[in-house]
Amino acid sequence: MIVATVSFADLLFPSTNFICLSCWKLWGYYGMEQAVTNWEIDITDQRHGQSPSAAGQCLCGSVRSASWDGLRAVVNCYCGQCRRVHGSKGTYTQVASDALVFETEEGLAGYRSSGKAERGLCRTFGSSLFWCRHGGDRVSITAGNLEQPSGLKASGHIYTCDLADFLDLPDDGLPRFETTSAGKLDGDRSS
């Protein structure tokens, strides 16, 4: 049995309309602290006996998550921020915020990487875990942290204008966008 500590969507802060657990951790939304630390939800019961469709964790296991929502195909991002976070490109799938549940999150940290988004990472080893847009209802999860086989396939390449000089775009026939795909990729709702 998996025991969840926090549902991602339950951390909606009405004053900012910002759904992000790492904000709670990083900037200390102390009004939620007591409620969050007392939650212990049986995920199986929460989802009517269904097993999660996807589960993952950081390298050391101090952050583990699960989702019951279908995952979007993987988008390869070559933006400068992903290059600095991952050392190359970022590979992200996406899920509804209310479908992502953290089983363990004591190692979760956050970084406000821009005025529009924040990134979640493991504070122990630095694994990149997700990014979320301020006020958005979706979370982009790092595909490499998912348990295998994930069954996911890549759907395209974004921010190719920032492609590092040591990388070559693969000749895979997938759509390429100089900046955001603005929702043009199958299942992409991140614009």
Side-chain angles (χ1 to χ4, degrees):
M1 169 175 53
I2 300 173
V3 176
T5 338
V6 177
S7 169
F8 196 84
D10 288 325
L11 294 169
L12 173 62
F13 303 104
S15 63
T16 60
N17 195 32
F18 186 39
I19 304 171
C20 213
L21 176 60
S22 53
C23 267
W24 172 74
K25 291 293 217 183
L26 189 62
W27 291 290
Y29 288 91
Y30 297 109
M32 292 288 289
E33 185 173 4
Q34 188 62 39
V36 170
T37 57
N38 287 337
W39 286 357
E40 285 199 1
I41 304 164
D42 180 342
I43 292 176
T44 305
D45 293 342
Q46 180 183 353
R47 302 297 176 167
H48 308 290
Q50 297 175 354
S51 295
S53 57
Q57 69 176 44
C58 63
L59 179 63
C60 69
S62 65
V63 181
R64 291 193 300 267
S65 61
S67 174
W68 284 261
D69 198 12
L71 299 175
R72 178 200 69 193
V74 173
V75 173
N76 297 305
C77 182
Y78 300 89
C79 76
Q81 287 190 14
C82 282
R83 185 175 64 249
R84 287 175 178 88
V85 169
H86 301 282
S88 184
K89 66 181 177 187
T91 56
Y92 291 94
T93 182
Q94 194 176 81
V95 68
S97 301
D98 62 359
L100 181 63
V101 176
F102 290 94
E103 177 191 353
T104 61
E105 36 69 42
E106 66 267 3
L108 188 59
Y111 177 69
R112 186 173 287 217
S113 55
S114 73
K116 298 178 182 178
E118 182 178 349
R119 295 175 181 272
L121 55 124
C122 168
R123 71 174 69 244
T124 305
F125 284 107
S127 296
S128 175
L129 302 169
F130 62 85
W131 77 269
C132 54
R133 184 175 301 280
H134 298 247
D137 63 352
R138 314 273 310 158
V139 181
S140 293
I141 304 167
T142 309
N145 292 327
L146 295 174
E147 299 298 328
Q148 295 297 305
S150 69
L152 296 173
K153 303 287 183 199
S155 65
H157 307 277
I158 60 173
Y159 290 94
T160 59
C161 66
D162 289 338
L163 182 71
D165 59 2
F166 58 84
L167 287 176
D168 293 316
L169 281 174
D171 188 15
D172 55 13
L174 295 176
R176 299 173 181 195
F177 299 88
E178 286 194 13
T179 60
T180 179
S181 67
K184 295 177 184 169
L185 293 173
D186 184 32
D188 184 14
R189 292 177 259 172
S190 59
S191 60

